[in-house]
Amino acid sequence: MRPPPPFEQPIYVTKPFLPPLPEYMARLESVWASGWLANNGQQHQALERALSAYLGAPLLSLFNNGTIALIVACQALRLSGEVITTPFTFPATPHVLSWNNIAPVFADIDPVTLNIDPSGIEAKITARTSAILAVHVYGVPCDVEAIQDIARFYGLKVIYDAAHAFGAAIDGQPISTFGDATMFSFHATKLFHTAEGGALAVGDPALKHRIDLLKNFGIKNESEVAMPGINGKMSELQAALGLAMLDYLEEELSARRRVAAVYTARLADVPGLSLMAMPAAVKNSQQYFIVRIGAGGPAKNRDQVHAELKDFNIFARRYFYPLCSEYSCYRQLPSASPVNLPTAHWAAAEVLALPFYGALSDDDAHRICDALLYVMELSPS
Ligand code: T4K
């Protein structure tokens, strides 16, 4: 088999969608004219309203990034002691617990959704447990009902890290309506972004009030600081970018659906390779396109495929390898032991995030499939 030609330019796992520069500039002109750059200005207020409507989240607070938003969620919910979470995630998830002086307790994941497996949560609950911090990995929703049942029974709070799940819904119900708080990330690598940014959605107005105080140093008014807050505020420049982005969201979503359709048609029936399944009732956030390389005995394992794709200028990513439980700061935790997390270890060894963004043409997507099948030593289909 002859190797397909490499890409002339590097193809990364993602490429941020950017609105036309003049449209952003027009919004910046009004920021310039106002002389108001931060601290809940007009752009911030407008974006908060617009996203609140788009996400079906009436109580939404914007942040300067998703990690600070999660840190504030833990503070606002007064979490302490231990929080049960997943090891199959980005470092931010367990790190926000550490920054709150809370011990992460890792529970294994479900082999299909790759989200925390509710059946393993109960055994991890102790007198010190205050919450469950679950992640809708790749935008595939967690088993929200089972998690809520456990939380209700044991009096625990539930936080969802929905960094990948912007716009996702289950049976038409927005993803932000489950649990006590839901975090969204608006990092440059996300479908909807503000370069850096994030948000928290909650259902309780008193909680929203506390969150808004916490993200602004705890300042209540000119003469009163109510609590030790932090600076979690989104700037006017970020908010203006978000507003300009919103006008193009549907366009980017449909371009990603087109790329996903090419990948699915080419890769769905390839031996040794499987695709992440999105339940039919779920509105897909189109954040990642994940393949799993393992079962069925391919000639190469995931790490070889990941490395060899670079020869074609294709920089796929092993999200999420290594597991958080393997980091030097966490691996001494009893719950981090690999025997406790067999499914997570198996998933972390198999997953590969393919380049996935709307600017990829059909031809690009086909060439990525050609290269993938070539390095897997399979004939192109
Ligand atoms: N929870 C979960 C489950 C998360 O996945 C994340 C973030 C968070 C929490 C925290 O949310 P934030 O605090 O970030 O809002 C990237 C992102 O930086 C990170 O936001 C994201 N998850 C994670 C999955 O991906 P890296 O370390 O892989 O990024 P990096 O710099 O290697 O970028 C990936 C590729 O994207 C590059 O190879 C090229 C491309 N890229 C990147 C940037 C920044 C561009 O083309 N342009 C750009 O501006 O973490």
Side-chain angles (χ1 to χ4, degrees), residues 285-299:
S285 64
Q286 305 294 346
Q287 177 58 46
Y288 291 109
F289 195 96
I290 304 295
V291 295
R292 297 179 66 172
I293 298 166

Side-chain angles (χ1 to χ4, degrees), residues 26-88:
R27 291 183 188 274
L28 290 185
E29 273 170 23
S30 74
V31 174
W32 256 237
S34 73
W36 195 271
L37 302 184
N39 295 12
N40 200 26
Q42 282 183 4
Q43 306 290 319
H44 184 290
Q45 290 174 28
L47 183 63
E48 206 166 77
R49 275 194 306 273
L51 287 178
S52 185
Y54 186 89
L55 295 169
L59 303 176
L60 191 80
S61 302
L62 300 185
F63 275 84
N64 48 6
N65 64 61
T67 305
I68 297 285
L70 268 185
I71 287 177
V72 166
C74 295
Q75 287 277 320
L77 289 163
R78 300 186 172 89
L79 304 188
S80 63
E82 297 171 357
V83 167
I84 299 169
T85 191
T86 170
F88 189 74

Side-chain angles (χ1 to χ4, degrees), residues 222-305:
E222 257 187 89
S223 44
E224 206 180 339
V225 174
M227 59 190 78
I230 198 166
N231 183 353
K233 292 169 281 125
M234 178 183 279
S235 78
E236 288 293 273
L237 308 189
Q238 291 168 285
L241 178 55
L243 286 165
M245 286 283 304
L246 270 182
D247 293 339
Y248 292 88
L249 198 55
E250 291 309 317
E251 207 173 288
E252 175 64 9
L253 271 168
S254 71
R256 288 183 182 213
R257 287 191 197 106
R258 169 183 54 71
V259 176
V262 174
Y263 283 158
T264 305
R266 290 289 305 276
L267 304 174
D269 298 318
V270 171
L273 193 148
S274 55
L275 308 184
M276 279 295 294
M278 188 63 75
V282 171
K283 184 175 166 224
N284 190 330
S285 64
Q286 305 294 346
Q287 177 58 46
Y288 291 109
F289 195 96
I290 304 295
V291 295
R292 297 179 66 172
I293 298 166
K300 308 259 178 73
N301 65 30
R302 189 278 315 272
D303 288 344
Q304 289 166 310
V305 172

Side-chain angles (χ1 to χ4, degrees), residues 14 16 66-67 89-90 161 163-164 185 187 189-190 288 317 319:
T14 189
T67 305
T89 182
F90 192 65
D161 175 338
H164 308 169
S185 166
H187 182 260
T189 53
K190 302 299 185 290
Y288 291 109
R317 290 296 288 266
Y319 293 138

Side-chain angles (χ1 to χ4, degrees), residues 344-380:
H345 277 268
W346 168 53
E350 288 193 348
V351 287
L352 192 64
L354 297 185
F356 190 56
Y357 49 91
L360 287 172
S361 66
D362 283 9
D363 185 52
D364 294 332
H366 279 290
R367 287 177 64 187
I368 291 164
C369 294
D370 290 343
L372 177 63
L373 297 174
Y374 177 81
V375 301
M376 288 183 73
E377 296 176 3
L378 295 163
S379 307

